[in-house]
């Protein structure tokens, strides 16, 4: 059930060109956190009616980090918030990544059937889609640690390797933070000024990354290309869809995407709300 909460700004700093990290103290919102979920930030300027959806990058204690790009009036207002300012957010919004579900598919479909072979998870992010992967990488690492402490736990968690493949136009961010939780972090830039010159799929090919499953977040062309790549290889991929949003909780039908699902009768096509039914879907569910 959606709630509107008051939080306090702990930090709001520019971490790359026009990309800000806003840390908000909001214990109740932190309790609702699942990697891949987002919050709506309500603006103080009442002429800007709609709240701005911002993905949650990670949580720490009672704080959550929201990373956003300054792209218009609303996000320009958010960039002005100072430490101690009050901020109104709604939570919990969206369905996040389902780590267990992807792992089950990897186990069923791929190389991990004996439970002892190391599986590889790819985290693929593009631009402002990179931040939610940090919280996701942390959650996967935590599961690995818990599995390592527990003899009876599934072996596949203990043997997982996590590779992040990140694409930026020009200026990378969160690379160091992701290195703490991933076995490998690879960077591509469109302009070639940093890391690999090209896109994330070319980088995956160049480094011969044979992941058994992927999680992704980023611009639609990247998600579409990765979904096609995964479909051709029968690799499961969960993608977090980027879509323009209005209400953020399923009321305005402003964020619909077409999906398909196999049923006993054939293929069922549906219109799903990215904010409420997603933003995370399996890549082969989405009709592009
Ligand atoms: Fe209103 Fe999704 S933004 S239904």
């Amino acid at each position: 059930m959606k709630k509107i909460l008051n939080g306090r700004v702990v930090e709001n700093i520019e971490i790359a060109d026009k990309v800000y990290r806003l840390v908000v103290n909001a214990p109740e919102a932190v309790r609702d956190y699942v990697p891949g979920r987002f919050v709506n930030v309500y603006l103080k300027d009442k002429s800007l009616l709609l709240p701005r959806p911002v993905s949650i990058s990670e949580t720490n204690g009672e704080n959550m980090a929201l990373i956003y790009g300054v792209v218009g009036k609303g996000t320009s207002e958010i960039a002005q918030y100072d430490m101690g300012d009050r901020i109104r957010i709604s939570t919990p919004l969206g369905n996040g990544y389902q780590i267990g579900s992807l792992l089950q598919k990897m186990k069923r479909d791929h190389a991990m059937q004996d439970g002892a072979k190391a599986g590889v998870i790819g985290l693929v992010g593009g631009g402002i889609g990179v931040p939610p992967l940090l919280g996701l990488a942390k959650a996967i690492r935590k599961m690995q640690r818990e599995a390592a402490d527990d003899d009876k736990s599934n072996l596949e968690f203990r043997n997982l390797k996590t590779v992040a493949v990140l694409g930026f136009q020009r200026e990378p961010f969160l690379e160091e933070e992701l290195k703490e939780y991933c076995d490998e972090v690879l960077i591509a830039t469109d302009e070639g000024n940093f890391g690999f010159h090209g896109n994330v799929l070319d980088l995956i090919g160049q480094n011969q990354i044979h992941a058994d499953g992927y999680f992704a977040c980023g611009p639609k062309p990247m998600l579409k290309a990765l979904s096609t790549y995964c479909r051709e290889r029968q690799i499961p991929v969960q993608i977090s869809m980027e879509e323009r949003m209005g209400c953020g909780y399923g009321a305005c039908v402003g964020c619909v995407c077409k999906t398909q699902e196999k049923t006993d009768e054939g293929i069922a096509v549906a219109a799903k709300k990215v904010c409420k039914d997603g933003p995370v879907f399996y890549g082969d569910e989405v009709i592009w």
Side-chain angles (χ1 to χ4, degrees):
M1 171 102 171
K2 179 187 78 110
K3 299 163 281 196
I4 296 181
L5 308 170
N6 287 317
R8 286 270 166 209
V9 174
V10 175
E11 175 186 275
N12 192 18
I13 54 165
E14 193 171 21
I15 57 168
D17 187 29
K18 293 192 177 142
V19 176
Y20 284 71
R21 176 181 147 95
L22 170 68
V23 179
V24 179
N25 180 265
E28 207 178 333
V30 169
R31 278 198 289 279
D32 294 331
Y33 172 66
V34 171
R37 272 190 165 160
F38 63 99
V39 296
N40 260 347
V41 176
Y42 289 84
L43 300 167
K44 293 174 183 164
D45 179 348
K46 295 301 168 216
S47 71
L48 302 169
L49 292 178
L50 295 174
R52 294 300 183 269
V54 185
S55 65
I56 303 166
S57 176
E58 60 169 329
T59 59
N60 201 342
E62 297 189 332
N63 294 341
M64 59 167 53
L66 310 174
I67 295 183
Y68 60 97
V70 175
V71 291
K73 276 189 187 171
T75 43
S76 295
E77 180 195 296
I78 298 171
Q80 303 305 315
Y81 295 172
D82 271 330
M83 203 168 91
D85 282 355
R86 202 179 69 143
I87 178 169
R88 287 175 73 228
I89 54 176
S90 60
T91 174
L93 298 180
N95 292 302
Y97 294 104
Q98 295 172 35
I99 302 170
S101 163
L102 189 100
L103 221 70
Q104 279 305 318
K105 279 183 184 275
M106 284 167 56
K107 198 172 158 188
R108 199 180 60 216
D109 300 342
H110 294 285
M112 300 169 62
Q113 281 163 3
D114 60 3
K117 191 174 184 313
V120 177
I121 287 188
L123 306 181
V124 180
I128 206 66
V130 169
L133 300 181
L134 177 59
L136 178 66
K138 258 174 119 168
I140 294 170
R141 184 52 60 88
K142 184 167 176 266
M143 286 171 159
Q144 284 178 283
R145 292 220 170 103
E146 285 167 358
D149 291 342
D150 178 2
D151 273 354
K152 291 188 240 45
S153 245
N154 290 336
L155 277 170
E156 61 263 24
F157 264 123
R158 275 189 262 172
N159 295 330
L160 272 184
K161 187 176 168 214
T162 313
V163 181
V165 186
L166 314 176
F168 300 91
Q169 189 179 352
R170 188 183 156 73
E171 191 181 2
F173 51 87
L174 294 186
E175 181 191 7
E176 293 308 316
E177 289 85 344
L178 274 156
K179 276 183 182 165
E180 270 189 56
Y181 304 104
C182 296
D183 298 284
E184 200 176 351
V185 177
L186 303 168
I187 305 280
T189 50
D190 294 342
E191 296 183 16
N193 56 305
F194 194 97
F196 174 78
H197 187 185
N199 65 37
V200 287
L201 276 178
D202 292 338
L203 183 54
I204 287 172
Q206 150 125 349
N207 283 272
Q208 299 189 22
I209 293 170
H210 301 294
D212 302 288
Y214 284 96
F215 293 104
C217 186
K220 262 191 191 170
M222 184 200 93
L223 297 178
K224 182 180 176 185
L226 182 66
S227 297
T228 304
Y229 170 93
C230 288
R231 193 182 59 238
E232 287 167 359
R233 290 161 182 78
Q234 298 186 321
I235 301 168
V237 55
Q238 288 181 16
I239 57 173
S240 179
M241 292 287 282
E242 269 188 2
E243 198 55 72
R244 281 187 82 82
M245 287 191 192
C247 66
Y249 56 90
C252 73
V253 202
C255 63
V256 166
C257 76
K258 254 189 171 181
T259 61
Q260 59 187 350
E261 197 183 335
K262 269 190 198 147
T263 66
D264 292 343
E265 286 79 43
I267 302 282
V269 174
K272 291 202 176 163
K273 294 167 184 166
V274 171
C275 67
K276 190 163 184 267
D277 302 312
V280 176
F281 297 92
Y282 272 101
D284 56 7
E285 261 183 278
V286 175
I287 301 175
W288 299 95

